[in-house]
Amino acid sequence: MSSQAVGNQTSSQATDDYSYGNWYIDEPQGGQELQPEGEVPSCHPSVLSGLLHACLAVLSILVLLMLAVLVRRRQLWPRCGHGRPGLPRTWMVPAAVFTVLFSSLCLLFPAEDPLPFLTLASPTSRDGESEAPRGPWKILALLYYPALYYPLAACATVRHGAAHLLGSTLSWAHFGVQVWQRVECPQAPKIYKHYPLLASLPLLLGLGFLSIWYPVQLVRSFSHRTGAGSEGLQSSYSEEYLRTLLCRKKLESSSHTSKHGFLSRVWICYGNYIYTPQRGFRLPLKLVLSATLTGTAIYQVALLLLVGVVPTIQKVRAGITTDASYLLAGFGIVLSEDRQEVVGLVKHQLWALEVCYISALVLSCSLTFLMLIRSLVTHRVNLQALYRGAALDLGPLPRSPHPSRQAIFCWMSFSAYQTAFTCLGLLVQQIIFFLGIMVLAFLVFMPVLHGRNLLLLRSLESSWPFWLTLVLAVVLQNMAAHWIFLETRHGHPELTNRRALSAVTFFLFPINVLVGAVVAAWRVLLSALYNAVHLGQMDFSLLPPRAANLDPGYHTYCSFLKIEASQLHPATTAFCDLLLRTQRPQPLQGPQDGLRHGEEEEGHFPAKPPAPTLCPQPLPAGRSQCLQFHR
């Protein structure tokens, strides 16, 4: 009995040892799963992201309600508080808020939960992913994030200490939540493990600036209790523009003697293509926002193109083994008889592919940034011309100075269009430059350096009679046109040998057809390259002048200039501000020393302060252009 039991136990143990489940000795015990190498595990923060966003949404609503109460109270009691509602006194606050908004929208691309607080109500699967469809919620997120960040800009429009306090609280709350999330979950499994952290850098910079700017303004509001300073800041640019326009002096210096020199020409060329600040002129807020969003879009698109492709190429290159030789042999490609040499060649080719991709990305970003700087110069020139009353060639737009429905819509969508054009233009440039650099690298440079795979050179070798014929035809026709069919008479070239010209044209017609086919292909390539480089620019049309109105980007730009020149003219703003100052009641002052109360009744009043002038210093004789408004 005992021996039989021992035998049964031994046989059962042997069966367990050779069972299917014990073949894989590296399998983790207890039902645990191994994490694939290089894959980032899902993050589980201590505080749910949905709860934090719900708190931020409630806080934003409370801030908006408090701002509405504050503005309403100041409308009923104008003396309650200081300053007045209006636009922010600096362009940096709207630029920071738009940067934060656009960066948040860029983070929606890889996000599984477009509205984070939906995770509090939606069921999740065992993998931690929500089972509800996320397509409609991403559309709703396009409206949620502007509403979430709008109070950050609204607090800057109400020039009051309480508004600055609310802005400080809200900006610090947003900044703290973003920093908390990035510290707890610095990596993500989508696209690239560090992509969310890198993509949120502009967002953190914008929120960090707002969290510093609002407390500084709060301190200033306690130190400056009068509202005159803010009003002066609002109209300072308009007065500076008008002062520069009316009191401009002609500089007489030795530079006139060398204005045609080499350095002066270089400086003029530099000023025509690179934007430099100009005294007495500032770009409108809308153009500043567009430039800021364009820079942010260049960073976000370049980051996405970089982290979406380069890490994948590096992983593939690191995983190349001798099996690659069999794979290539299956397609009829035999690089070498030695397998290790084949591995080295494939890795070298992948490294060259990575270099081509990064080079194309650097070239695309550089050209897009240079086109942005060039566009700022064009914006300034066009606005200055419109301010002077010049009629620019803006297509078939109506010449009426009154705004239209379509012009207002174009003004509203200008910055958004500029951002979208920049993103698409950078993507198209990356594709074109990558293909071009890759063709040059793999068909020209690398075959010449290594002496193998000379496909392009062999094709040229086999077809050299064709290309030689085309080149000779073009050269001979130009030489004949210069030496045979042109004759100089009385100092002017004249056409001669007309019969020979007609005969040569007839005989060379078939060859010129082939030359025309090559020129047509070259024309298509140049047109595609030119339009791809300038796709992000809206200050000129990519279509010919007769069809410029069909270009939606150029049409939007022209309508935007019309609104800017007719509604936000700095000279008009300066005149209106000076007129409002003359109508503002002056505070009553007590009698000065030596002036009795009876003299006031007799009509002896203190001297009036001087009228505001736009010229800080006297002008030369014959240039009395200073403008004064007398009370």
Side-chain angles (χ1 to χ4, degrees), residues 114-125:
L115 296 178
F117 51 81
L118 291 178
T119 56
L120 301 177
S122 59
T124 56
S125 61

PDB file of all heavy atoms in Angstrom, residues 114-125:
ATOM      1  N   PRO A 114     -10.511  63.585 -23.051  1.00  0.00           N
ATOM      2  CA  PRO A 114     -10.460  65.012 -23.404  1.00  0.00           C
ATOM      3  C   PRO A 114     -11.031  65.904 -22.322  1.00  0.00           C
ATOM      4  O   PRO A 114     -10.554  67.019 -22.116  1.00  0.00           O
ATOM      5  CB  PRO A 114     -11.279  65.079 -24.694  1.00  0.00           C
ATOM      6  CG  PRO A 114     -12.129  63.854 -24.680  1.00  0.00           C
ATOM      7  CD  PRO A 114     -11.341  62.811 -23.963  1.00  0.00           C
ATOM      8  N   LEU A 115     -12.052  65.425 -21.619  1.00  0.00           N
ATOM      9  CA  LEU A 115     -12.596  66.146 -20.473  1.00  0.00           C
ATOM     10  C   LEU A 115     -12.257  65.334 -19.228  1.00  0.00           C
ATOM     11  O   LEU A 115     -12.894  64.309 -18.955  1.00  0.00           O
ATOM     12  CB  LEU A 115     -14.112  66.317 -20.617  1.00  0.00           C
ATOM     13  CG  LEU A 115     -14.568  67.173 -21.803  1.00  0.00           C
ATOM     14  CD1 LEU A 115     -16.078  67.220 -21.868  1.00  0.00           C
ATOM     15  CD2 LEU A 115     -13.992  68.572 -21.702  1.00  0.00           C
ATOM     16  N   PRO A 116     -11.257  65.735 -18.463  1.00  0.00           N
ATOM     17  CA  PRO A 116     -10.757  64.869 -17.379  1.00  0.00           C
ATOM     18  C   PRO A 116     -11.789  64.543 -16.321  1.00  0.00           C
ATOM     19  O   PRO A 116     -11.753  63.446 -15.748  1.00  0.00           O
ATOM     20  CB  PRO A 116      -9.596  65.686 -16.789  1.00  0.00           C
ATOM     21  CG  PRO A 116      -9.180  66.604 -17.885  1.00  0.00           C
ATOM     22  CD  PRO A 116     -10.442  66.950 -18.614  1.00  0.00           C
ATOM     23  N   PHE A 117     -12.718  65.455 -16.034  1.00  0.00           N
ATOM     24  CA  PHE A 117     -13.659  65.169 -14.950  1.00  0.00           C
ATOM     25  C   PHE A 117     -14.708  64.139 -15.356  1.00  0.00           C
ATOM     26  O   PHE A 117     -15.506  63.707 -14.522  1.00  0.00           O
ATOM     27  CB  PHE A 117     -14.363  66.455 -14.489  1.00  0.00           C
ATOM     28  CG  PHE A 117     -14.968  67.258 -15.593  1.00  0.00           C
ATOM     29  CD1 PHE A 117     -16.207  66.933 -16.121  1.00  0.00           C
ATOM     30  CD2 PHE A 117     -14.313  68.363 -16.094  1.00  0.00           C
ATOM     31  CE1 PHE A 117     -16.762  67.674 -17.129  1.00  0.00           C
ATOM     32  CE2 PHE A 117     -14.864  69.123 -17.098  1.00  0.00           C
ATOM     33  CZ  PHE A 117     -16.101  68.764 -17.627  1.00  0.00           C
ATOM     34  N   LEU A 118     -14.723  63.710 -16.637  1.00  0.00           N
ATOM     35  CA  LEU A 118     -15.642  62.653 -17.040  1.00  0.00           C
ATOM     36  C   LEU A 118     -15.246  61.303 -16.472  1.00  0.00           C
ATOM     37  O   LEU A 118     -16.073  60.390 -16.408  1.00  0.00           O
ATOM     38  CB  LEU A 118     -15.704  62.569 -18.564  1.00  0.00           C
ATOM     39  CG  LEU A 118     -16.370  63.745 -19.272  1.00  0.00           C
ATOM     40  CD1 LEU A 118     -16.309  63.536 -20.771  1.00  0.00           C
ATOM     41  CD2 LEU A 118     -17.802  63.921 -18.817  1.00  0.00           C
ATOM     42  N   THR A 119     -13.983  61.149 -16.080  1.00  0.00           N
ATOM     43  CA  THR A 119     -13.543  59.879 -15.492  1.00  0.00           C
ATOM     44  C   THR A 119     -14.194  59.618 -14.141  1.00  0.00           C
ATOM     45  O   THR A 119     -14.201  58.485 -13.666  1.00  0.00           O
ATOM     46  CB  THR A 119     -12.021  59.886 -15.313  1.00  0.00           C
ATOM     47  OG1 THR A 119     -11.638  61.023 -14.521  1.00  0.00           O
ATOM     48  CG2 THR A 119     -11.332  59.994 -16.671  1.00  0.00           C
ATOM     49  N   LEU A 120     -14.755  60.665 -13.522  1.00  0.00           N
ATOM     50  CA  LEU A 120     -15.425  60.468 -12.243  1.00  0.00           C
ATOM     51  C   LEU A 120     -16.770  59.785 -12.405  1.00  0.00           C
ATOM     52  O   LEU A 120     -17.274  59.169 -11.466  1.00  0.00           O
ATOM     53  CB  LEU A 120     -15.620  61.826 -11.544  1.00  0.00           C
ATOM     54  CG  LEU A 120     -14.349  62.615 -11.247  1.00  0.00           C
ATOM     55  CD1 LEU A 120     -14.709  63.959 -10.636  1.00  0.00           C
ATOM     56  CD2 LEU A 120     -13.441  61.832 -10.323  1.00  0.00           C
ATOM     57  N   ALA A 121     -17.364  59.876 -13.617  1.00  0.00           N
ATOM     58  CA  ALA A 121     -18.699  59.324 -13.821  1.00  0.00           C
ATOM     59  C   ALA A 121     -18.731  58.171 -14.805  1.00  0.00           C
ATOM     60  O   ALA A 121     -19.632  57.350 -14.774  1.00  0.00           O
ATOM     61  CB  ALA A 121     -19.661  60.422 -14.312  1.00  0.00           C
ATOM     62  N   SER A 122     -17.743  58.087 -15.731  1.00  0.00           N
ATOM     63  CA  SER A 122     -17.756  57.047 -16.755  1.00  0.00           C
ATOM     64  C   SER A 122     -17.090  55.789 -16.233  1.00  0.00           C
ATOM     65  O   SER A 122     -16.098  55.855 -15.510  1.00  0.00           O
ATOM     66  CB  SER A 122     -17.043  57.541 -18.020  1.00  0.00           C
ATOM     67  OG  SER A 122     -15.707  57.885 -17.703  1.00  0.00           O
ATOM     68  N   PRO A 123     -17.576  54.615 -16.618  1.00  0.00           N
ATOM     69  CA  PRO A 123     -16.945  53.362 -16.186  1.00  0.00           C
ATOM     70  C   PRO A 123     -15.633  53.138 -16.914  1.00  0.00           C
ATOM     71  O   PRO A 123     -15.429  53.588 -18.033  1.00  0.00           O
ATOM     72  CB  PRO A 123     -17.978  52.302 -16.570  1.00  0.00           C
ATOM     73  CG  PRO A 123     -18.735  52.915 -17.714  1.00  0.00           C
ATOM     74  CD  PRO A 123     -18.785  54.389 -17.446  1.00  0.00           C
ATOM     75  N   THR A 124     -14.736  52.450 -16.290  1.00  0.00           N
ATOM     76  CA  THR A 124     -13.427  52.127 -16.864  1.00  0.00           C
ATOM     77  C   THR A 124     -13.260  50.621 -16.933  1.00  0.00           C
ATOM     78  O   THR A 124     -13.838  49.868 -16.147  1.00  0.00           O
ATOM     79  CB  THR A 124     -12.297  52.729 -16.016  1.00  0.00           C
ATOM     80  OG1 THR A 124     -12.432  52.262 -14.664  1.00  0.00           O
ATOM     81  CG2 THR A 124     -12.381  54.246 -16.020  1.00  0.00           C
ATOM     82  N   SER A 125     -12.450  50.205 -17.863  1.00  0.00           N
ATOM     83  CA  SER A 125     -12.174  48.780 -18.036  1.00  0.00           C
ATOM     84  C   SER A 125     -11.058  48.347 -17.097  1.00  0.00           C
ATOM     85  O   SER A 125     -10.503  49.129 -16.344  1.00  0.00           O
ATOM     86  CB  SER A 125     -11.801  48.500 -19.498  1.00  0.00           C
ATOM     87  OG  SER A 125     -10.632  49.226 -19.828  1.00  0.00           O
TER      88      SER A 125
END
